[in-house]
Amino acid sequence: MTPEQLSTAIRACLVDAAASGRLGLPAGSVPDEVRVERPRSREHGDWSTSIALQLAKPAGLPPREVATLLAGLLAGVPGVQRADVAGPGFVNITLDVASAGEQARTIVELGASYGEGRAAAGERVNLEFVSANPTGPIHLGGVRWAAVGDSLARILAAQGADVTREYYFNDHGAQIDRFARSLLARARGEEPPEDGYGGEYIHEIADQVLAMAPDALTCSDPQEVFRQHGVELMFAEIKQSLHDFGVDFDVFFHENTLHESGAVQRAIDRLREQGQMFEKDGALWLRTTAYGDDKDRVVVKSDGQPAYISGDLAYYLDKRERGFDRVIIMLGADHHGYVSRMMAMCACFGDVPGTNLEILIGQMVNLLRDGEPLRMSKRAGTVVTMGDLVDAVGVDAGRYALARSSSDSMIDVDLDLLTKRTNDNPVFYVQYAHARTCNVTRLATEDGVRLADGFDPSLLGHDTESVLLAVLGQFPGVVARAAELREPHRVARYLETLAAAYHKWYDVCRVRPQDADEAVTDLHRTRLWVNEATRTVLARGLDLLGVSAPERM
RNA sequence: GCCCCCGUAGCUCAGGGGAUAGAGCGUCGCCCUCCGGAGGCGAAGGCGCAGGUUCGAAUCCUGCCGGGGGCACCA
């Protein structure tokens, strides 16, 4: 019996009790979802629910009375060995060993599709992340969103969403001009401009542009040549480093196309028709304060030039017109000030903020060296790039380290720790567990233990076994929750729990016969099912994080 | 001044209003005639402060303290 099945059974008991008048409330007032949790202490059984505590008040009964009623009904459910009332009104449930053991069969039979859900089925999601300006390599701060964003895309897809990964390529503004001027200055052997970029990569790109266009310095518009080729080269490098990090976008959207195609003007016209625009001081404004922004925003400046937000307006409208009902944008904490104006903009279009537009703010990565904060500056060229991270620890450790923490938390990354390749990255703990499952399967198969020859879940009675089975059963709920809250780190934390449960089980429950004299029994075969189920979930979970699941390490 | 995030073990971080708050690393002590010891078992060690809501608060609300970030007709 899976936790989902148990939850359904509990709800059915409650609806029954309500319908027959024993609960003192109408059947319709039983919550749609009854939460089933793992109790903290093993002595409290396999699963626990606090539903009786929640229903006590509406039912007008003491919590323990509701719990007692529920426990009595649950005791009659097939697969439930016992249901006890505990504490203020918890119902603790212990399953039959065989019923709990069926979890292994369920997983092995579903294979890689175990853990998938339909919570986001039919949703067309546009997930925009990274979107770093092509004025330099992606630095470590941006890498966090690459890891988290790509993982979120995988998790949403596992819930049935149709996800497009999108990168907004800002190739239009003043920062690009600064970049071009910096390249030009470098090529002429001059110091970078006051507001420009420094660093080794500027040197390299400038040389490459000169190689591509030998007359770049003598042509009529040198800066334009450096801009065009420089951005192209920088962009190619960014794409490549993302690809090497295991992140491939479906759409690279160029801001330029919005201005060239007239999309900006269309968006402005649309908003004007809806009465959201007004003119003041020679500029055109969007009345974002009507929807909670703290000030109105200039869309077209008094000099006639479009302000930055005009691109955002057009871009949002473009995404919606491409058929995405959910536009999700991941931004760093240094951009959180945009949230209220973006949400207001969404409302100005007549959409629903929070539904059609979601903005996820992630906190920054704090770089340390020797425990001391490291100040990074693109201007000074002291940046730690995505490539540096991959060179230092590899893709798996890098992605895992960045994806295993909540995006709400600022995280510290100590470069010396990383470059030392120490074992304190939990990704190895999880990957090792996976490699172990593969090893066990390989050796067991050589010994003649075959899944197809038998499965007797009533043999899975060891305590470490029931823990492992229960943890395996939590996977679909974890994935669903990670998708719902847009929190990939939940998957990583879950995998660490699963790996721990597996290691403990492995330590005391042998899968293979001890030696050639020992016959292969149903216990060996059944445990091989458990091993396979674990391998399946570890592999799928790592896949959701974009981390490899090695068979040997 | 206003807005957002954070404050949990020595360090880095988990923790869906529920029972005795967890993991990794670090420290100390155990376990290889045993499917891979990148493992397992044990010990020490913690919710910034003060109120409030609740049967019940690390979790929700308010204030304070501390850290980070943001408040342009820049992009």
Side-chain angles (χ1 to χ4, degrees):
Chain A
M1 181 182 283
T2 67
E4 285 77 17
Q5 290 165 341
L6 179 59
S7 169
T8 304
I10 293 170
R11 187 167 186 279
C13 289
L14 292 169
V15 169
D16 258 15
S20 64
R22 281 171 292 173
L23 244 189
L25 43 79
S29 61
V30 176
D32 293 339
E33 286 284 327
V34 174
R35 266 183 61 203
V36 170
E37 301 181 302
R38 272 244 98 193
R40 281 224 175 78
S41 165
R42 279 297 290 132
E43 293 117 53
H44 292 151
D46 295 327
W47 303 100
S48 171
T49 178
S50 61
I51 189 69
L53 287 160
Q54 295 160 43
L55 290 180
K57 192 167 237 176
L61 294 169
R64 285 190 63 99
E65 201 168 307
V66 179
T68 304
L69 175 65
L70 174 59
L73 292 169
L74 274 174
V77 171
V80 173
Q81 188 194 77
R82 53 183 302 171
D84 305 303
V85 178
F90 295 104
V91 178
N92 294 329
I93 299 145
T94 303
L95 300 179
D96 290 333
V97 168
S99 176
E102 284 294 335
Q103 183 73 60
R105 192 209 305 264
T106 301
I107 295 169
V108 173
E109 287 179 354
L110 285 173
S113 69
Y114 176 68
E116 292 181 356
R118 307 298 297 159
E123 286 185 20
R124 291 204 59 205
V125 177
N126 184 285
L127 184 63
E128 183 200 332
F129 56 107
V130 185
S131 295
N133 287 347
T135 55
I138 297 183
H139 57 78
L140 204 40
V143 183
R144 185 174 189 181
W145 315 129
V148 174
D150 183 61
S151 177
L152 180 58
R154 292 163 189 251
I155 289 165
L156 291 173
Q159 288 298 309
D162 177 5
V163 183
T164 293
R165 294 168 176 78
E166 189 148 327
Y167 188 117
Y168 187 50
F169 177 33
N170 188 318
D171 54 1
H172 184 75
Q175 292 187 35
I176 295 294
D177 293 339
R178 280 187 213 134
F179 175 61
R181 287 201 303 278
S182 302
L183 291 174
L184 179 57
R186 179 64 252 179
R188 286 173 172 158
E190 301 164 358
E191 287 301 305
E194 180 68 18
D195 57 353
Y197 301 100
E200 192 56 30
Y201 74 97
I202 290 288
H203 200 222
E204 289 166 14
I205 300 268
D207 286 349
Q208 286 178 58
V209 173
L210 284 175
M212 289 168 73
D215 63 342
L217 286 173
T218 54
C219 69
S220 61
D221 189 353
Q223 187 177 317
E224 172 56 21
V225 173
F226 278 91
R227 188 198 63 79
Q228 193 179 325
H229 291 297
V231 165
E232 212 168 281
L233 287 164
M234 203 66 254
F235 194 41
E237 185 182 324
I238 287 172
K239 262 187 183 169
Q240 182 64 44
S241 60
L242 284 165
H243 175 77
D244 293 343
F245 199 56
V247 179
D248 291 295
F249 286 85
D250 302 298
V251 175
F252 286 92
F253 195 98
H254 293 243
E255 183 189 1
N256 248 341
T257 63
L258 292 171
H259 294 88
E260 287 165 359
S261 70
V264 170
Q265 193 53 50
R266 280 211 321 281
I268 290 172
D269 292 344
R270 170 82 71 95
L271 290 165
R272 207 197 294 262
E273 283 163 24
Q274 303 201 346
Q276 308 289 358
M277 301 287 243
F278 66 97
E279 287 182 39
K280 193 181 90 179
D281 303 334
L284 188 63
W285 299 67
L286 182 64
R287 200 181 299 281
T288 52
T289 50
Y291 299 99
D293 196 6
D294 50 8
K295 58 190 77 159
D296 292 321
R297 304 292 167 175
V298 169
V299 176
V300 179
K301 297 188 258 182
S302 52
D303 63 4
Q305 289 298 309
Y308 182 78
I309 195 174
S310 67
D312 286 336
L313 301 176
Y315 189 31
Y316 174 74
L317 186 61
D318 182 87
K319 284 174 177 170
R320 294 285 283 128
E321 285 175 344
R322 276 186 278 150
F324 296 105
D325 32 50
R326 272 186 196 281
V327 174
I328 305 179
I329 306 174
M330 305 180 73
L331 296 174
D334 52 344
H335 289 82
H336 97 266
Y338 298 178
V339 174
S340 57
R341 83 189 63 165
M342 292 287 281
M343 288 302 178
M345 168 206 76
C346 168
C348 284
F349 276 116
D351 281 348
V352 183
T355 299
N356 296 301
L357 176 63
E358 248 179 88
I359 298 180
L360 308 178
I361 295 298
Q363 300 300 311
M364 321 294 278
V365 174
N366 195 21
L367 272 183
L368 303 176
R369 170 161 282 157
D370 265 338
E372 292 297 311
L374 193 72
R375 294 306 288 184
M376 288 203 303
S377 160
K378 225 182 230 185
R379 298 250 310 267
T382 55
V383 287
V384 178
T385 68
M386 181 179 263
D388 295 338
L389 175 70
V390 172
D391 290 345
V393 292
V395 172
D396 286 344
R399 287 191 66 143
Y400 193 91
L402 293 168
R404 77 184 286 265
S405 295
S406 161
S407 296
D408 283 341
S409 296
M410 208 166 38
I411 50 175
D412 285 352
V413 171
D414 192 308
L415 293 178
D416 297 297
L417 226 61
L418 289 181
T419 49
K420 277 176 196 152
R421 280 194 94 103
T422 54
N423 273 341
D424 57 8
N425 193 325
V427 74
F428 295 115
Y429 184 77
V430 177
Q431 286 184 316
Y432 180 64
H434 179 267
R436 222 175 205 184
T437 61
C438 294
N439 199 49
V440 167
T441 294
R442 186 165 55 242
L443 295 172
T445 303
E446 285 170 14
D447 291 343
V449 182
R450 301 270 184 277
L451 289 178
D453 291 348
F455 176 69
D456 180 355
S458 70
L459 300 174
L460 299 174
H462 193 280
D463 191 54
T464 60
E465 224 141 39
S466 63
V467 170
L468 178 56
L469 288 163
V471 173
L472 287 167
Q474 290 177 295
F475 185 57
V478 168
V479 177
R481 184 106 181 122
E484 178 195 346
L485 298 178
R486 285 80 164 105
E487 290 183 344
H489 76 276
R490 289 173 181 277
V491 173
R493 299 296 172 154
Y494 166 80
L495 290 177
E496 291 167 31
T497 304
L498 174 57
Y502 176 74
H503 286 311
K504 286 173 193 179
W505 174 72
Y506 169 93
D507 210 47
V508 290
C509 290
R510 246 194 108 78
V511 176
R512 303 162 53 207
Q514 192 91 352
D515 52 50
D517 296 336
E518 188 184 339
V520 173
T521 66
D522 269 352
L523 182 61
H524 298 125
R525 298 183 190 104
T526 304
R527 282 181 171 166
L528 187 58
W529 283 76
V530 174
N531 189 76
E532 272 301 288
T534 308
R535 189 189 60 73
T536 300
V537 176
L538 286 171
R540 181 63 174 133
L542 285 168
D543 179 56
L544 288 175
L545 296 171
V547 173
S548 75
E551 294 186 10
R552 297 171 194 270
M553 293 175 69

